[in-house]
Structure formats: structure tokens, C-alpha cells
Amino acid sequence: MKIKLLLIITAMLLVVTIQAKPQFGRDQLFNDNWRFKLSDVKDGELTNLDDSNWRQLNLPHDWTVEGVYSPDKASSTGYLPGGIGWYRKTFSVPETEKGNKVYIYFEGVYNHSEVFINGNSVGKRPNGYISFMYDLTPYIKFGHENLISVKVDHSLDADSRWYTGSGIYRNAYLVYASPVHIDLWGVYCKATNVTDKKAVVSVETTIHNESDKAANILVSYQVIDPVSGKIVARSFKSLGTESTKKTVTSQTFSIASPRRWSLEQPNLYTLKTIIFQNGKVIDQNEQQIGIRTLTFDPNKGFALNGVWTKVKGVCIHHDAGCLGSAVPREVWKRRLTTLKEMGCNAIRMSHNPQAPDVYELCDELGILVMDEAFDEWEFAKKKWISGWNKGTPGFQGAASYFADWSDKDLGDMILRDRNHASVIMWSIGNEVDYPNDPYSHPILDHANINQPVQGGYLPNNPKAERLGAIAKRLAAIVRGLDTSRPVTAALAGVVMSNETEYPSSLDITGYNYTEERYALDHANYPKRVIFGSENGHSMKSWKAVRDNEYIFGQFLWTGIDYLGESGSWPSRGFYSGFLDFGGFIKPRGHFRQALWSTKPVAYIGTYSQPKDNRFLSTDAWPVWNYVEGKMVRIVCYTNASKALLILNGKQAGELKNQDDNTGVIYWDIPFHEGKLEVIGLDKKDNQTCSYALQTSGKPDSITAQSDISEIKDFHGVAQVTVQIVDEKGIPVMISEDEVTCAIEGPAKLLGLEASNNSDMGNYSDNVQRVYHGRLIAYVQATGSEGKVNLKFTAPWLKETNVTIKVLNK
């Protein structure tokens, strides 16, 4: 059923948030004690192969980020290597499991993977971002040792416009299940009616009977209140299932006075699903669920739970600097929390399904999600080899398997993610309509279309009309699995696409970098819901959203610096994020916070007085170290009505009002060392916020602060911020000292990240040069309790130590 956008889309949903696991059976994390070899091993799946000299490691694992940066590698994927790798793991299946099913579930393997059990191939998956599962049962030796082998072929390592990583870079699970069990991603929840008094909830469950007999079962649900812990709804239903078939059953129940999931209060109930056969429990799962309503209106924008809301979103890729694509949940939590504190309320999963941890955290933190399936359809996009938009591009990529796998890949994304409260829309593509790359249309010969086009209409290129047919097919797949959210896409060539059926196949339409089209297309297509699916950081771009009720939001490129899509060597990646590689907020993040945050904020950065007086940087770092008397520009990013600058306790420059044209208040003053402070004032001159800088001396000491004092998981991660300070403890932003980290105790160093985009050195050792006077150390527990001592040293500086306890709770 298509959500027909005549005037308004309203969707009501009870949504499930714990999706990392396959949602059925008895799962166990399957990450430990794998063996790995980076080589195209002949017969790597065979049980008699000697792998005793292979490297032993735990998942998740990304071998690409362990490689050496080299200018002969593709800039698009960050000047890092791909290759072919093999993973092998032996494990025993108890004799008592005979008669049950055994599955392997991978959250993501990049890419072109093939899985073997005891030498037998059980499946291949070319897409590196999709979660998938295989049935191992026919080849399992119950009561004996078994061997699982995984070949990962990323030999075509210039296959993306950004960094991908290589290997089994997300979690793996081994799953035991009764022959009659809940299907993979087999629970689907939605609400048919939500009011303050009652939420009417429908739960659709798919039961897979893999036995050779019909089975009668009882399906039971319990919903537990997030505050009281009491059961607030329950339901039971008897069901007959046929042998070797899937059976779908639906149940409806009500929740009185529902606590809604919102940005401010992301309330999450607990849903227990239990399957009984002959009075015994044969399968069950427990998930968190949220209740909320979505409204999309072509004139009023977007409402969450009936509250009209501007979506203040960012696009993100899936890596984390020196960690590559194997990013621990704790790292994602710190990053997403920082973005939300900055005023961000939405994430676009650019341009592929991401780790389940990210969706779960968005559910828990109250962050909206635009989920996205593809960056390219039937034709490969340009992949830059020698720097962004430089040289001759390559054309490796996901288009090579789109025809064979797109239906399956898209469907699996919807099934996996459709129960997340945070997900509010499904994107079926990003910039697949970029003019002449490769699709073309005669409209490109027309003047004043405000689109970046090379050479006008190219009649020998694929016809743009093809976009409409593909979009219809993909949209139908989405609507066949979920009607509670709109289908969208991020259009790069909206003028060209308007001549096709592409936009009309969508429910809401994303515009990439074409704010000048908003008013015109709103008038020409009055039933179209329009938003910014990818945007620049300018004040003008934000005002196009803020000042137009019918534009419900924007997603800025990008929220976090990412590897790949690099410039000319040396360049690790794309540096337009609000957060850097290490997850620290950058000056432009403070600027955006002043525009987006509802809390009073102020920030000041500095740079030498520019020759062009009109130049107002939104990338000014908080440094107050210059030559005495030098003229310095101080820029203030604040949401206060006015700002007052204070230098060493005295007013410096005039009191200035907020500038709504630039979003920047500035002063030009001569430098004098000491304390520089800005005070934000409201319209009645009451102080609402402040921010201060101090002149620093030469580097004297290292300080280090862990985000946690205890790691409460045997594989948990602590994030330690290391800062260079002077003898007074003032941060030395201009420091570039080389820091060494030594660890004693049950933990290991995952990496040191200083966030310097041009540092192409070794990120696999325990030595790193700070950037802007700081870096972050990622420390992971190694499987036992105890005390971990971290020592940070640097030549000529006073060292520091950090102690962290590892517990098993």
C-alpha cells in the first residue's frame, strides 16, 4: 500500500529498538578467537588446512585501517589498501543441540564474502553493509569440533567514494533455535491509533516451521512500562503452522496512557515475545519498543507526536578515524551524544545501512534517522583516484551487483531496521540522478537551471527516464514491508529528475544542495514534501530551512570527519565535519550549536585580522597566543541577543548585537596576553552564557582523563582524552608533541587518534603526535578483571598516569 501524498502523511508506530541480534533463538556473541590471514589462501575453507601460524584476533576487525597509507592507493577510499582475507574459527556444538537449528549471523562483512562450514559453502553476499544469516545445520557435527571459514574479497579496493574498511568489521553471532521459531527479524510492531489516552498496537510475527511436521503453538506478548516496570499489556494467540513453511500471525492490544518516544524523552517499553509448544517455551525474545507518530505535510513540514519540528540533521559515514570501520558501541555513543548536545536531532545513514549499535543508540538518545540503502544503482559513479575531483576516475563499485541483489539488500535493510523508533524515513538512493554521471536529459541544454552540469545534454548517455522505473520498483519493495514511514531519496539533479517519474515515485523528496529550488518547486509541485537531504554549512542554507515552514529540515555534510573521499596526497579523508576524527567538537560545530541549540551557548575563536574585512570564519580555533600588539580578529558564535568581549577584566570593543545575516559577531583588537572572555546577554542585558580563552605558555605536562573509571564489560572500551598543558594547566593548542602510551593490565590499545588530516603516519602503534594539543586513546578490556594502568609520556614533558578498573558486571 503506497502512502499517498495528497496533502498529509501521518504515520503512527510502536517501534522496537533492540535489533543488533537476529531476534530469535538463543544467540551467543561469536567474536572471540578467530584466526586471520591477509592473503588469497588456496582452499582456505578446508578443515585440514594448517592455520596455526595465522594471526589470532577478536572481531570486529578491519584490516584496511591496519594498512599503510600510500599515494598509489585510491584517494576515494583514503589511500589505504584492500585485498583478500580469510577468517577461520573452530567451535564445538553440544550433542544436546541435535534436533535444533544452528545459524551464523553477521552484522556486516565488507565485502564479497563467502561463508563455509566444515568446508561446505553456505552462501555469498557481495554487499558489505547488509546484515545476513546462514543455516549451518546440515553440515554441523554435533558433539564434535566444527570449522567456520569466511573469505572476504575486497581486491577491488577503489570501489567506493569513501572509506569502507575490509573484513568482518561488525559483530557475529551463533544462534541455536528450535525447528519451530520466530523468523529472522520476524517481529514487526506498529500502532493503528495513538492518543494521549490509548495506543492501539498491532504486532505481526512470522513463525518459521523448519521441521517435517505441522506444529500447533501459542504466541504470547507482554509489554512492560519503562518507568514502573509493570506489565501494561499482554496478549495470547494459538496458531497452527505447516511443515517447512512460514506463517504470519497478527495480534492487537492496547496500552493505556502511552509514554511516547520523543526527542526530549525517548521512552522505551520492553516487549517480550514467547512461543510455547505443548506447554514448553521453544523460542522467545525481549526487545525495547517506542510509541510515536509522524506527520509530513507539504505546507507545514514535519511533526513528531503532533509537534511541528525542524529536523536539524547531519550525514555520517561509518568509520572512526584510526579505528576504521570496526567502531565500538561506546565510541558511537560518545559521538552521538556530542552531536545531540550540539543541537543536532537527526542522522542520515550515508549512504548505506550502518551498524545496529548506531540505530539502537539513536533510539535511546532520542535522535531521528534517515535510513539509506544505496549510493549507486545500475551504473557506477566516478571514484576519484588521485584526489577529490582530480585526475581520471575509476568505476568500480556496488553497481556491479545491483541488478542481482538490490531487491534482497533493500528488503533486508527494511526488515532489520523497520522497528526502530528513531527511523522516520527510508531512502532508496543518493545522488543517482547526478546530471551526466551518467544519466542525461535534454533539459540540461536549457539555460538557468541552476545545476552543475558538464557539457549539457549527452544523447549517448543513459536516459534519465530510466530513473523512474527503478525508483518505482524499489519503492514498492519498501511499501511491501513497511507502510508506517515515507519513501524518499536524495536528489542531486532535481531539475532533470523533475522531467521523469522519479520524484513522483517517492512520498517525500530530498534535495541535495539546491536550496534555490525550494520556493520554485514548492509552487510548481504543491503536493510535494521537500527537505534538504544534503546541505552545506552556510547561514543561507540554514535560513532556507528556518524561514520556510514548508521545508522541514536539512542534513549537513557532514556531522563527523571521515576517512576517504580524500583530497590530493597527503589527505586521510574529508574534513567538513562538526566533529573531528577523534570525536572532538570543532569550531564549526560550535557555530552550528549557536544556530541549533535551545540552550544558551557562546564560543570565541581567533585568527589574524584579515585583509578582506568581510571575511568571517566559522572555523576559528580557540587560541590566544600571538605577537604582542598584533591585530587579531575574535569571532563569537552565540545564540545570545548580544555579546560583550572582556580582556583581562576590562571591556574590549563595543557591545554587539547578534547578526542574523552571518551568525557571527566579531571584534578586531590588538593582542595582549591574558584571559579573553565573551559574555552572552539577553535582550534585557542579563548574562546567559560565557566562554573564555587564556594565553598558554610552553608545553609542560601531559594530562589525561578517561570517560569512565570502570569498564564493566570484558570487551568494553574506555576513551581517554590526552591534553598537553603549560605549567599553569592551561591547554597548549599549538602543541605538536609526540605522545607514547604504555599499558599494563587486562586491556589493549585500539588506537591513538589526534585528528590531523594530513598526518599519513602509522596508526597501528602506541605513538602519535598530538594535533591542536590533544588526542584520544581508545582502550579495550581483554577478557579478565583487574586494574589497568595507562602511562602517557612525551620527550621533555611531565608524564601522567590513568587507572581504570575492569569488572565483569
Side-chain angles (χ1 to χ4, degrees):
M1 173 182 174
K2 180 177 178 180
I3 304 175
K4 188 65 176 177
L5 263 174
L6 296 176
L7 284 176
I8 301 175
I9 301 173
T10 299
M12 292 168 284
L13 185 66
L14 181 150
V15 286
V16 181
T17 67
I18 299 299
Q19 304 300 325
K21 301 177 182 181
Q23 302 179 44
F24 76 98
R26 292 169 286 117
D27 57 77
Q28 56 183 245
L29 201 59
F30 205 57
N31 287 348
D32 291 352
N33 301 318
W34 288 76
R35 291 188 178 274
F36 171 73
K37 189 173 183 64
L38 182 55
S39 174
D40 188 6
V41 179
K42 187 178 186 299
D43 299 325
E45 75 278 11
L46 297 184
T47 56
N48 60 358
L49 180 73
D50 182 6
D51 60 11
S52 59
N53 291 324
W54 289 24
R55 175 184 171 190
Q56 188 168 337
L57 53 76
N58 296 336
L59 306 179
H61 173 240
D62 172 8
W63 81 65
T64 286
V65 80
E66 300 172 342
V68 177
Y69 285 99
S70 175
D72 67 351
K73 300 301 180 184
S75 59
S76 62
T77 47
Y79 296 108
L80 284 165
I84 297 175
W86 279 86
Y87 296 83
R88 288 162 58 96
K89 176 181 170 75
T90 56
F91 65 103
S92 296
V93 177
E95 182 74 29
T96 54
E97 294 293 346
K98 198 165 188 177
N100 287 328
K101 304 291 291 184
V102 185
Y103 304 91
I104 186 70
Y105 178 82
F106 292 102
E107 290 183 354
V109 182
Y110 202 93
N111 62 349
H112 290 280
S113 63
E114 184 171 9
V115 179
F116 303 84
I117 181 68
N118 295 325
N120 301 282
S121 177
V122 291
K124 298 180 179 181
R125 198 66 181 253
N127 191 314
Y129 300 110
I130 293 294
S131 301
F132 58 92
M133 184 180 77
Y134 298 128
D135 183 1
L136 307 181
T137 314
Y139 307 106
I140 287 292
K141 300 174 183 178
F142 292 92
H144 299 280
E145 189 174 82
N146 295 268
L147 171 72
I148 187 166
S149 308
V150 183
K151 180 182 180 181
V152 184
D153 186 351
H154 192 201
S155 53
L156 298 178
D157 56 10
D159 61 339
S160 174
R161 298 188 300 126
W162 59 88
Y163 179 85
T164 62
S166 305
I168 309 176
Y169 68 101
R170 297 181 188 160
N171 292 323
Y173 291 89
L174 189 70
V175 184
Y176 297 112
S178 164
V180 180
H181 57 82
I182 301 169
D183 198 20
L184 174 64
W185 309 315
V187 178
Y188 175 37
C189 303
K190 60 181 177 180
T192 55
N193 187 31
V194 178
T195 67
D196 290 340
K197 292 183 179 180
K198 183 175 67 174
V200 179
V201 177
S202 173
V203 182
E204 180 183 285
T205 304
T206 302
I207 303 297
H208 196 181
N209 183 347
E210 297 191 81
S211 73
D212 57 2
K213 297 179 181 179
N216 295 318
I217 61 173
L218 178 70
V219 182
S220 168
Y221 300 101
Q222 296 176 357
V223 179
I224 300 173
D225 186 88
V227 177
S228 69
K230 296 180 180 179
I231 296 174
V232 294
R234 66 173 79 227
S235 180
F236 304 88
K237 186 174 183 179
S238 297
L239 181 70
T241 65
E242 295 184 53
S243 171
T244 68
K245 292 186 178 180
K246 296 181 181 182
T247 304
V248 179
T249 180
S250 296
Q251 297 185 60
T252 300
F253 47 86
S254 298
I255 298 175
S257 302
R259 305 178 194 274
R260 301 198 193 196
W261 184 92
S262 68
L263 301 177
E264 299 76 22
Q265 292 184 309
N267 292 305
L268 297 170
Y269 291 80
T270 299
L271 172 68
K272 291 185 177 180
T273 305
I274 307 173
I275 311 300
F276 296 89
Q277 185 180 23
N278 299 324
K280 295 182 179 180
V281 175
I282 60 170
D283 200 2
Q284 61 182 320
N285 67 34
E286 185 174 303
Q287 308 170 54
Q288 289 184 297
I289 61 176
I291 300 172
R292 47 90 172 123
T293 65
L294 310 175
T295 303
F296 295 88
D297 184 284
N299 296 309
K300 295 180 67 65
F302 166 73
L304 179 65
N305 298 321
V307 179
W308 297 105
T309 302
K310 289 295 185 182
V311 171
K312 303 169 183 176
V314 298
C315 305
I316 61 170
H317 277 313
H318 73 155
D319 69 276
C322 68
L323 300 176
S325 57
V327 185
R329 183 186 182 96
E330 297 92 335
V331 175
W332 274 120
K333 185 173 183 178
R334 172 174 167 264
R335 290 172 167 228
L336 293 171
T337 299
T338 302
L339 287 171
K340 184 159 189 183
E341 290 173 349
M342 197 191 79
C344 170
N345 63 15
I347 300 293
R348 177 185 176 205
M349 304 300 188
S350 314
H351 304 290
N352 46 263
Q354 302 214 13
D357 280 339
V358 184
Y359 300 84
E360 291 180 11
L361 287 167
C362 287
D363 291 337
E364 295 170 10
L365 296 172
I367 299 174
L368 306 171
V369 169
M370 174 180 172
D371 211 1
E372 192 156 67
F374 306 115
D375 184 56
E376 47 190 42
W377 287 353
E378 57 179 344
F379 297 107
K381 292 179 179 177
K382 298 172 183 175
K383 313 298 189 307
W384 299 104
I385 308 300
S386 304
W388 190 59
N389 284 348
K390 292 186 177 181
T392 301
F395 291 93
Q396 298 173 9
S400 63
Y401 53 83
F402 180 80
D404 295 330
W405 284 94
S406 57
D407 289 15
K408 175 67 172 171
D409 288 343
L410 177 60
D412 283 355
M413 182 188 83
I414 305 303
L415 289 171
R416 191 196 71 170
D417 298 341
R418 64 182 174 174
N419 289 326
H420 281 289
S422 55
V423 176
I424 64 168
M425 61 181 109
W426 303 115
S427 172
I428 59 174
N430 170 64
E431 294 184 345
V432 296
D433 62 333
Y434 199 90
N436 290 340
D437 188 15
Y439 298 101
S440 197
H441 191 277
I443 191 69
L444 300 181
D445 279 337
H446 294 192
N448 301 319
I449 64 170
N450 295 317
Q451 291 281 143
V453 180
Q454 297 179 354
Y457 174 49
L458 301 179
N460 293 326
N461 276 32
K463 306 302 181 187
E465 288 80 2
R466 297 172 65 94
L467 294 165
I470 298 173
K472 285 181 177 181
R473 174 174 63 82
L474 298 177
I477 293 170
V478 175
R479 295 179 186 123
L481 297 171
D482 179 44
T483 57
S484 67
R485 301 170 180 84
V487 179
T488 190
L491 275 59
V494 66
V495 173
M496 182 179 75
S497 289
N498 281 342
E499 303 299 311
T500 75
E501 294 181 298
Y502 186 12
S504 63
S505 68
L506 308 172
D507 298 316
I508 63 177
T509 309
Y511 284 41
N512 282 14
Y513 305 104
T514 46
E515 292 87 354
E516 71 281 352
R517 296 290 309 183
Y518 289 170
L520 181 61
D521 281 11
H522 178 58
N524 290 339
Y525 308 97
K527 296 178 182 179
R528 182 180 294 180
V529 178
I530 300 172
F531 70 102
S533 44
E534 188 171 315
N535 306 84
H537 293 205
S538 71
M539 187 70 173
K540 182 180 179 181
S541 296
W542 167 236
K543 291 173 75 174
V545 176
R546 187 196 69 183
D547 299 343
N548 290 299
E549 186 179 26
Y550 60 90
I551 303 298
F552 73 74
Q554 63 175 186
F555 289 87
L556 299 184
W557 194 266
T558 176
I560 310 171
D561 291 346
Y562 59 93
L563 300 177
E565 206 162 4
S566 304
S568 299
W569 178 275
S571 173
R572 296 169 67 198
F574 210 79
Y575 209 58
S576 66
F578 295 129
L579 311 184
D580 61 23
F581 292 131
F584 296 110
I585 188 168
K586 295 162 60 178
R588 61 176 51 197
H590 288 287
F591 174 73
R592 188 57 44 174
Q593 185 178 36
L595 299 181
W596 281 359
S597 179
T598 57
K599 300 177 181 178
V601 295
Y603 167 92
I604 47 175
T606 71
Y607 49 97
S608 298
Q609 184 180 25
K611 293 181 180 179
D612 183 351
N613 193 57
R614 297 169 299 178
F615 175 65
L616 295 174
S617 175
T618 56
D619 290 309
W621 289 92
V623 176
W624 193 234
N625 285 73
Y626 294 89
V627 175
E628 188 71 18
K630 179 181 177 63
M631 291 300 295
V632 179
R633 173 155 291 181
I634 293 92
V635 288
C636 172
Y637 316 143
T638 183
N639 52 13
S641 297
K642 309 170 188 177
L644 183 66
L645 189 67
I646 305 294
L647 177 59
N648 295 325
K650 297 181 181 180
Q651 183 173 337
E654 62 182 304
L655 176 67
K656 291 197 173 184
N657 294 322
Q658 180 62 262
D659 186 342
D660 192 52
N661 291 319
T662 64
V664 179
I665 299 172
Y666 76 96
W667 300 266
D668 293 328
I669 65 171
F671 171 76
H672 298 290
E673 71 174 67
K675 181 179 180 181
L676 182 68
E677 183 177 16
V678 68
I679 297 174
L681 307 171
D682 63 18
K683 293 180 180 179
K684 295 182 180 181
D685 292 337
N686 298 310
Q687 180 175 336
T688 60
C689 50
S690 64
Y691 188 92
L693 306 178
Q694 284 190 284
T695 305
S696 64
K698 65 180 182 180
D700 177 80
S701 309
I702 305 172
T703 64
Q705 179 68 48
S706 175
D707 64 333
I708 53 176
S709 60
E710 296 177 342
I711 299 176
K712 299 179 180 180
D713 181 324
F714 273 177
H715 293 293
V717 174
Q719 300 169 80
V720 183
T721 300
V722 177
Q723 177 74 60
I724 307 300
V725 299
D726 66 11
E727 61 181 359
K728 296 179 181 179
I730 298 171
V732 184
M733 289 287 294
I734 58 177
S735 166
E736 296 182 350
D737 292 273
E738 187 174 80
V739 173
T740 298
C741 174
I743 298 182
E744 294 180 351
K748 65 179 180 180
L749 181 67
L750 291 180
L752 298 172
E753 180 57 73
S755 305
N756 186 346
N757 188 47
S758 61
D759 185 346
M760 312 300 282
N762 186 354
Y763 287 84
S764 297
D765 61 12
N766 65 332
V767 181
Q768 185 61 48
R769 193 173 297 279
V770 299
Y771 186 60
H772 292 125
R774 67 189 177 194
L775 57 77
I776 191 165
Y778 300 109
V779 179
Q780 185 177 46
T782 52
S784 60
E785 291 187 338
K787 184 181 292 186
V788 177
N789 185 68
L790 309 175
K791 180 187 287 187
F792 295 96
T793 60
W796 316 111
L797 300 185
K798 297 173 184 174
E799 66 185 42
T800 192
N801 292 271
V802 175
T803 300
I804 303 170
K805 293 181 180 179
V806 179
L807 307 174
N808 185 25
K809 292 186 177 180

